[in-house]
Amino acid sequence: MTANSFRRQGILFVISAPSGTGKSTLCGNLRATPDFIYSVSCTTRPPRPGETNNVDYHFLTVEEFQQKIKAGEMLEHAKVHLNYYGTLLAPVKKALEEGTDVLLDIDVQGAESIRGCKDPLIRSSLVDVFIMPPTLEELERRLRKRGTESEEQIQMRLARGKEEMQNWRLYRYTILSGSMEEDLIKFRAIMRAERYLSSRLTLV
Ligand code: 5GP
């Protein structure tokens, strides 16, 4: 008797959180495992110290970025904190078709436009997760601890974070952020359950 086995399409995990919540560290930890392909976004913002082109982001000029939008290469794009950010469509679709899960770290506007995406593969693969900071004070403390932004940038990110937090209900899951370990455990629980959804499986 041959054993049953399943094939499944990839899952598109979208994570959003106000800047400073600890999402980048969470994604960095998830990235270090072979569970996903991490989608490298395009951005027009300059690299921070320690960031590598084509690893952390594809760092583009505004002209190059606009060219990619025009050519229909972007799954979504948004202006965040005065710069443009966007996700390339082709690598995401290829991974999903191959049954590989994809992790996207994008803002609430990007998540919104993916929710509205007409592509049936993208729609059926989407699992969106919001990481909610425990309090605004804690968000401010985490932002300051990072030490990469000026006072003006911190204030801008806090104001934006406040707005973004109002969108949590639009996401399928919300994780109340605790320690990095707690956030990882919660995210992995979501990941495991989503991988066993019958609707994603095909018996082969
Ligand atoms: P940072 O400049 O701190 O790396 O990122 C700022 C914000 O841009 C974060 O909230 C991050 O999630 C968002 N972001 C990064 N890549 C993308 C993307 O491809 N699309 C969208 N819409 N937002 C992104």
Side-chain angles (χ1 to χ4, degrees), residues 23 41 45 48 57 76 78 85-87 105-107 110 157:
K23 178 188 47 170
S41 293
R45 86 149 160 74
R48 294 194 185 115
Y57 281 104
E76 61 76 37
Y85 293 81
T87 309
D105 162 2
I106 62 176
D107 85 314
R157 283 172 186 249

Side-chain angles (χ1 to χ4, degrees), residues 4 26 41 48 57 63 67 134 142 148 151 171 176 179 189:
N4 285 332
L26 176 70
S41 293
R48 294 194 185 115
Y57 281 104
E63 292 69 35
Q67 187 50 42
R142 291 184 190 182
T148 48
E151 182 58 31
Y171 289 70
L176 189 60
S179 68

